[in-house]
Amino acid sequence: MALTSIGFNDGSLMRDFAPIFQNWFEIHQTYKWNNTDPLYWYNERANVGTFAGAVWRSGFHALEEYSSTKRPDEDQDKNFEKLGRVDLWIYPNEMEYVIEAKQVREKVGDNFSGVINSALKKAVGDVAKSTEGGLVNVKYLGLTFIIPMLTAADRDDYTGWFKNYTDTSKEVKCDFFANWFQDVPLPIRDDKLAQPGISVFGRLWDGS
């Protein structure tokens, strides 16, 4: 069985995202390809698609890579509008979420929570520019997919490492997180660092 953990710092999101996370876990579990080609090894676009698949499997709706007007950058004319793309829109339980995502592949170190916080800040900054009008009951969400890289020492005490990693997840400034890791610290890529799983962290844009 895979090693999994979920946390909600904003309990109001649990109803919408708890079933999505369970289906996200199941998708990764069924795709493992005998530990030789896990789904999460691929790029951000692939991981956004996987998350969207979990949304659909939960009985909700999702739309990926759709065109939308974008708010101007700080150094641009406030009346300036440009057409861009939004990573994901989902619709669980009569609530719309507009989502921008980032992906980080990083060796676990002392400042790992800082790495995650930095990526979340960028994702939230992006989604703040995607606040087009006309949506009702909408929240704007930054997502960050994290693929940790483990050293040999981490692999030697894998279960202990996962417990510590879950504790680190709780230190991140986020509204929720979900971790899915294989039951053994495989596979190992050419760099000799194990990349046995994936995490997703979410932070809502607060409007500022």
Side-chain angles (χ1 to χ4, degrees), residues 112-185:
F112 197 64
S113 61
V115 171
I116 301 171
N117 279 322
S118 177
L120 273 172
K121 183 178 180 180
K122 292 177 181 177
V124 172
D126 283 353
V127 83
K129 299 176 184 177
S130 302
T131 53
E132 64 173 320
L135 299 179
V136 180
N137 285 343
V138 61
K139 295 180 179 180
Y140 297 91
L141 178 67
L143 280 187
T144 296
F145 297 101
I146 304 291
I147 299 94
M149 300 190 294
L150 280 63
T151 64
D154 295 328
R155 298 198 302 271
D156 289 343
D157 183 20
Y158 183 53
T159 303
W161 174 87
F162 181 76
K163 181 181 182 302
N164 291 335
Y165 182 79
T166 297
D167 290 342
T168 298
S169 299
K170 296 174 183 177
E171 298 173 2
V172 174
K173 184 182 177 182
C174 65
D175 292 298
F176 61 68
F177 69 85
N179 300 318
W180 182 91
F181 286 80
Q182 301 193 42
D183 53 357
V184 291

Side-chain angles (χ1 to χ4, degrees), residues 4 7 25 32 58 78 90 92 117 165 173 177 179 201 205:
T4 63
F25 293 159
K32 283 198 311 180
S58 302
K78 298 305 179 185
I90 66 174
N117 279 322
Y165 182 79
K173 184 182 177 182
F177 69 85
N179 300 318
F201 292 82
W205 177 58

Side-chain angles (χ1 to χ4, degrees), residues 22-38:
Q22 292 300 330
N23 281 292
W24 187 65
F25 293 159
E26 291 178 11
I27 290 173
H28 280 288
Q29 184 69 29
T30 55
Y31 188 87
K32 283 198 311 180
W33 288 96
N34 296 320
N35 292 330
T36 61
D37 186 36

